[in-house]
Amino acid sequence: MAPKRLLAEEPDKSNPIYTSIHKLFSVLRGGNQTGIIFALCQLEEIDLADPRNQLTVLDAGGVDVLLLLMKESKGKLRLAAAQILLGVVKHPEVQFGMTTIDKLTVLLDALEPDCANDILEICTQIIEYCAAMSNNRYILRQLGGVPKLMMFLEKGLPDVSIRLLGHVAFALAALCRNDRKVQGEVQQLGGLEMVMKLLHKLGGTDAIPIWSVIRECLLDEAFRTKFRLEGGVLAAVEHLHSPSPKLQSVAAAAIAQNGDDVEACTLLHNAKGLDPLITLITSDDASVVKAAAAALRCYSACSSNAHHLVQKSPVETLLTVLQAGGPELKVNILRILHNIAGQVERGRFAMKDAGAVEVLLQLSQGTNQEVCAEAVGALGECALEEAVRPHVHRLGGLKTLFSLLRTNNPQIL
């Protein structure tokens, strides 16, 4: 039976090792132990990072063969089969081909405390890749994947290695992605207490996987409430000072996910989150800038915080970041400027003096509708200041705004 296809993508039969891979899996099906050892050794020598080879393994029925070996073999044979599967499961077609209860059950059955650590690490990584597919996330949840993974978080250090905890956390975060039921289940099983306990024990970049779980689960209201009560915002701000761009990025993303209501803004201000976020907004790392902008957008939603932001961060800095960023970053920076102009009189004058009106008029005529809408919104807040209106008029602002009335974008209108 031909393997399921996600995009009807076919393997490259002109690939020099296409035939070799098929022959090796034929040997693996034969059941002779000497032949199995030989075939696994040969497969380990193949570049499984090559998408052509990953797809060929799927075409040869290799996923089923490898899972059977993982289920029925022990020791080095089981480990070798798992390593090969980890190499090919990065391909979306292979992830799609894993969408059956039987296949995913093999992975979850391996998640037992008495299982070898190396197998546990590999299986949790495979689960993380499989969870890229929504159907796989659903099946894994139905099979009890969430409590299986959380069992290791609950045991924690020193019973579970830092490396394994990281892989478990990344797998759990992948299961939580865009799934409120999984996020709620994590909360009900005491997930916040577990991850906060681990955050206090783990230092530096070892905390990155834990923040990945937190960031996904903050969409759950009950989890978010407890996160605030347990000092989660303060912990996130502490990690903004890390030298690791990746840790800075996930901590800032968690702050953004925590929301922009008054309580969230107050907690972030009291935790002294403004200074590190202003520093990170000019980072050389694009992912850090993106996350810091999203966090500052939330911070500036509160009037008192918007005042602090104007005092601490020159509008020129925000405009520089705005003009250099992509659409998502532009939207966040424009919303920050909107919050400043809408709540701080001094901010409106600062924006005028920094040349923000010119930039906003230019962006309001762009092709990205969301960016246009945010630019018009920020420009409207600037125009609340009577002294700024003549400046808008001199720059042709009225003509631009009248032309925008003819658009079909309800956000702009």
Side-chain angles (χ1 to χ4, degrees):
M1 181 179 175
K4 293 190 295 182
R5 292 278 187 246
L6 176 64
L7 301 171
E9 186 178 357
E10 294 297 330
D12 181 6
K13 294 185 180 181
S14 65
N15 182 6
I17 58 173
Y18 174 86
T19 303
S20 299
I21 291 175
H22 273 263
K23 286 181 178 178
L24 289 171
F25 277 103
S26 294
V27 172
L28 287 176
R29 288 190 193 91
N32 179 283
Q33 187 159 354
T34 303
I36 289 174
I37 294 171
F38 169 80
L40 289 173
C41 290
Q42 292 297 306
L43 285 166
E44 287 177 333
E45 296 298 318
I46 292 173
D47 180 14
L48 296 177
D50 186 334
R52 297 177 304 167
N53 296 339
Q54 294 167 350
L55 205 54
T56 300
V57 169
L58 178 65
D59 184 68
V63 171
D64 294 302
V65 174
L66 293 169
L67 286 168
L68 185 62
L69 282 172
M70 288 176 61
K71 182 179 180 180
E72 297 184 351
S73 302
K74 295 181 180 179
K76 292 184 178 180
L77 289 182
R78 187 185 193 193
L79 179 60
Q83 287 173 327
I84 294 167
L85 182 57
L86 177 60
V88 300
V89 78
K90 298 169 187 178
H91 197 296
E93 291 282 6
V94 179
Q95 295 163 9
F96 184 72
M98 290 286 293
T99 310
T100 70
I101 292 175
D102 291 341
K103 290 175 182 177
L104 295 174
T105 297
V106 174
L107 300 177
L108 292 179
D109 283 347
L111 300 185
E112 296 297 337
D114 58 350
C115 189
N117 214 58
D118 44 12
I119 286 289
L120 290 172
E121 289 181 10
I122 292 173
C123 285
T124 48
Q125 289 179 78
I126 296 172
I127 288 171
E128 179 189 353
Y129 282 111
C130 288
M133 296 287 165
S134 58
N135 287 342
N136 286 344
R137 292 198 295 272
Y138 174 79
I139 293 172
L140 286 165
R141 180 171 67 84
Q142 293 297 111
L143 292 174
V146 174
K148 278 250 182 182
L149 290 167
M150 291 187 65
M151 169 182 64
F152 294 96
L153 295 184
E154 185 175 17
K155 287 170 69 69
L157 297 169
D159 296 326
V160 181
S161 71
I162 291 177
R163 184 181 174 89
L164 177 55
L165 281 173
H167 291 313
V168 167
F170 277 135
L172 186 60
L175 284 181
C176 288
R177 194 166 299 131
N178 301 321
D179 193 323
R180 295 296 180 90
K181 289 184 178 179
V182 176
Q183 295 157 10
E185 187 176 359
V186 170
Q187 160 59 21
Q188 291 169 7
L189 293 171
L192 178 67
E193 291 80 0
M194 294 180 199
V195 295
M196 291 303 295
K197 183 178 178 181
L198 287 170
L199 268 185
H200 293 307
K201 288 187 176 182
L202 295 172
T205 55
D206 291 330
I208 291 173
I210 306 301
W211 278 116
S212 298
V213 177
I214 292 173
R215 185 177 60 185
E216 296 295 339
C217 289
L218 279 171
L219 291 170
D220 179 77
E221 185 177 353
F223 189 99
R224 189 164 59 248
T225 300
K226 282 193 175 183
F227 174 77
R228 296 173 180 182
L229 291 172
E230 294 291 331
V233 175
L234 182 60
V237 170
E238 288 175 357
H239 283 160
L240 293 178
H241 296 282
S242 166
S244 164
K246 180 62 177 175
L247 183 53
Q248 293 169 347
S249 177
V250 294
I255 289 172
Q257 202 75 279
N258 187 44
D260 61 0
D261 56 274
V262 174
E263 183 185 7
C265 292
T266 303
L267 286 170
L268 185 54
H269 175 70
N270 292 342
K272 302 187 186 305
L274 178 58
D275 286 340
L277 286 173
I278 289 175
T279 300
L280 296 180
I281 201 76
T282 57
S283 169
D284 294 330
D285 190 292
S287 65
V288 173
V289 174
K290 178 181 173 183
L296 277 174
R297 171 179 177 165
C298 294
Y299 179 91
S300 63
C302 176
S303 175
S304 60
N305 286 359
H307 279 81
H308 290 298
L309 182 56
V310 172
Q311 293 169 3
K312 293 274 189 176
S313 177
V315 172
E316 291 85 354
T317 301
L318 295 173
L319 291 177
T320 300
V321 177
L322 171 66
Q323 292 173 293
E328 185 178 351
L329 180 58
K330 277 182 166 61
V331 166
N332 281 326
I333 297 296
L334 286 168
R335 176 55 62 166
I336 295 170
L337 293 172
H338 181 285
N339 291 339
I340 288 173
Q343 301 177 99
V344 187
E345 180 182 6
R346 176 184 167 188
R348 293 191 283 273
F349 284 104
M351 287 174 65
K352 169 184 170 294
D353 295 340
V357 174
E358 294 92 325
V359 175
L360 294 174
L361 283 170
Q362 182 183 10
L363 290 175
S364 68
Q365 301 173 72
T367 56
N368 186 294
Q369 295 297 297
E370 191 175 4
V371 171
C372 289
E374 289 292 347
V376 170
L379 186 61
E381 295 295 343
C382 280
L384 290 174
E385 192 62 52
E386 188 174 349
V388 178
R389 292 172 197 161
H391 185 60
V392 175
H393 180 63
R394 284 195 301 271
L395 293 170
L398 286 177
K399 181 179 179 181
T400 300
L401 292 172
F402 277 125
S403 69
L404 290 171
L405 288 174
R406 292 193 292 269
T407 69
N408 294 320
N409 186 347
Q411 291 178 293
I412 293 177
L413 298 175

